[in-house]
Every structure is written in C-alpha cells, then in structure tokens.
Amino acid sequence: MNKTAILTIIGAASVFAANADVKVNLAPGSNLQEVKVSHATIKDMLTTPRNQDIPTVTDTYKVNKNSFTIRISPDGPSRYSIDFAPDVMADFYAQPGENLTVDVTSLSPLTYTVSGTPLMDGMTYIDSKTGPILAEFNAARQQPNTDSAKMQQIVDSYNRVLKDYITENPANPAAVYALLELDGEDFLKGLSLLKPEAMMSMLYPIVELRKPMIEKQVEAERLQQEMQNGTYDAIDFKLKDLNGKEVSLRDYRGKWVILDFWGSWCIWCIKGFPHLKEVYEANKDRLEVIGIDCQDTEEAWRAACDKYQLPWVNVYNVTKEGSVDQLYGIQGFPTKIIISPKGKIMNITTGDDPSFYDTLNKLMNK
C-alpha cells in the first residue's frame, strides 16, 4: 500500500467520527484544577518536514474529583499528550469512534496505563516490560564509568522485548509500535513478520515512511563491514580545519590515522576524549587523529574544540549527499576508523568501545 493511499484512508477515518472520549482518572490527592491536552494528527506528522512545525491543537480541561474527559478529535488518527507539569506528559494514540481510559496512579514519578483498544492495550503491555529496562539504561548513562559493553547489553535486552512481542503478536496493531522502536536489520525482519491486520494500525504509515531510511542505513552498515577487510582504500576527502586551511586525508599517508566522527551534542563522543588524548599523546610521532565534526553548527564545533582542548586535526563536515560521513557509511556517534600508513581501512568501531584501543594497539604493533 503506497503512502498516498494510506493518507487517503487516514483522512477518510474522520467520516466515521462518533461520540468517543478518553476518561482520565487521577490518583487521589493529585490536586490538579485543570490540565492541558494537545494533539497532532498522524497525517500532519507524516507530511510536515520539521517536528516543531507540526500543527498542534491544545485544549484545557477542568478536573473534577480527580478525573476529566478528553474529547476525541474528528480530525483523524492522532497522538495525544496530557500535560500534567513541565516535562511530565502522558501520551496515547486515538482515532474517531474509540473510547479509552487513562489511569494515572502517580504524578511523581509519572505512572499510568492506557486501555480500551488493541493498540493501546498492547502499547501499555510493551511499556510495562521495557520501562524498567529503560530506567536501567538512563541510570547507567549517568554513571561516569559505565562501559559501552554494559550499555549494549541493556539495549539488547530492550530490543529483545520488542522483537519477542512482534514474533508472538504479528497481527496486533501494537506490533507496529514495537517495530517503530527497532532499527536496522531488526526493523526489516520485524516488518517481514507483520500480518495484514497489524498493517491496518494507525501507526503503520509511519513505518512506511521509515522503511526507505532504514534500508539505506542497512546498506551503509553493509558497506562498513565490507570496508574492514584490510584491502579497501580509505576514501580521500578535503575539509577545512579551524584555521580555514584545507585538510586532505592523503596528506597523512605514511602515518596511522584515526578518523573520529563526533559532534558536540554527543555525550559518548565527549566522554571518550580523555582516553583518545592519552593514546594520541603516546603515539603522535606515528599516529594522527582527524576529528570530523558532524551535525553541528560551525559555531558549536569551534566552541567544543576550544572547550575540550582537542590537540589533533579538527575539520568541519556538513552532512549532505556525498559528504564524508555518508561516504564512510556513518550511522552512529562516535565512530572511529583506523587507517593504515598505506591508506587502507583496518577497522571501524561505532560507540565508545574500549576494545577499539586494543585493536589499534595490535594493528600498530604487528
């Protein structure tokens, strides 16, 4: 089913608008007098280029005896957000003709369930399983010494819940919700398992929008794997450094080179700088690091280079068709690429993985 046909179905859904609402029950003692509720249609979410420009309708509801009722918009399938406080929001999906119940058992921390449709029943179940894993991930991310292997274990556990749900419930519309939390090959494999009933989910148009991007990502990952056999010539490039001088990868032939793809917005990129500095200082007679900034403004890049006192070659990259990050199939940050003195790609590592430096040491000291 193509995107145009799906959007037609979404628009037609408003024809079936009936008396429908969402009953919200708050925990005793919530002491809220009124609550703002906003919604945006999935159709607008699909067709608006930037998230901040998606048309959103906001209504205010009076709270009476710890409950209130949200009117379902006739505009079509939509995502709703109940704004209890700054950064405290309960989200759900609904469409004309549906009746849902939101039971909020705690506002701090926010704990709630949504029931009444197969989609929301399934989403509530999935969230009950992934919630503790997500909490563990966030806690680990705050620890200064949590290594990437531990983080990857948590991510794998999270993904396993999603993949198992899709495998066990391929006809449930909530399987589409689980699918949208996956990436890469996991996404494509999960998509192949969906039954036609699941594809009728109001969220399925988002899957169709993401599919080409995921396929492109998987192809980029395949390219990276192919590059690492030790015979692939590193792709030359020319980018400007902090002084406006044009830097070419070819300029460093004869030395080992680490291409460090990073961004000032990337926590793990920043956390990895101290170790990279140590390795660079110990080996700079035969090793060069070229930091390739991605997805930053030039001002943010310059400020970060100054703030973190990066001692190696720093160049600025603008992501676009044929840019350096695309040529190397970069899909995550940081990504570090080891290039031999002969200009061959020897290793590509995504994430702040300590084993990268073991690999570097072995390669440089063969």
Side-chain angles (χ1 to χ4, degrees), residues 225-233 340 343-347:
Q225 288 298 318
E226 183 181 289
M227 283 180 172
Q228 296 183 73
N229 61 12
T231 64
Y232 201 101
D233 288 329
S340 75
K344 304 293 184 182
I345 296 175
M346 306 303 293
N347 175 266

Side-chain angles (χ1 to χ4, degrees), residues 236-239 246-253 290 315:
D236 193 27
F237 58 82
K238 293 182 179 180
L239 292 172
E246 198 168 68
V247 171
S248 171
L249 175 60
R250 189 173 294 275
D251 296 339
Y252 300 94
R253 185 67 59 87
I290 303 178
V315 295

Side-chain angles (χ1 to χ4, degrees), residues 2 6 51 58 111 119 136 167 179 193 257 305 331 357:
N2 61 38
I6 290 170
N51 287 342
T58 301
T111 307
L119 173 61
E136 181 184 4
T167 301
L179 182 65
L193 296 176
V257 175
C305 290
Q331 295 297 307
Y357 295 101

Side-chain angles (χ1 to χ4, degrees), residues 322-342:
S323 58
V324 178
D325 54 318
Q326 292 197 0
L327 292 176
Y328 281 92
I330 304 303
Q331 295 297 307
F333 297 87
T335 291
K336 293 182 176 63
I337 300 178
I338 301 173
I339 299 174
S340 75
K342 294 183 179 180

Side-chain angles (χ1 to χ4, degrees), residues 302-319:
R302 289 182 176 278
C305 290
D306 180 62
K307 178 178 180 179
Y308 300 110
Q309 292 294 293
L310 305 183
W312 42 74
V313 177
N314 289 284
V315 295
Y316 181 62
N317 167 75
V318 177
T319 298

Side-chain angles (χ1 to χ4, degrees), residues 13 28 49 70 131 143 166 169 191 204 264 272 281 307 315 317 322 336:
I70 301 170
Q143 300 300 316
I166 295 169
N169 304 274
L191 178 58
Y204 190 73
S264 67
E281 183 62 32
K307 178 178 180 179
V315 295
N317 167 75
K336 293 182 176 63

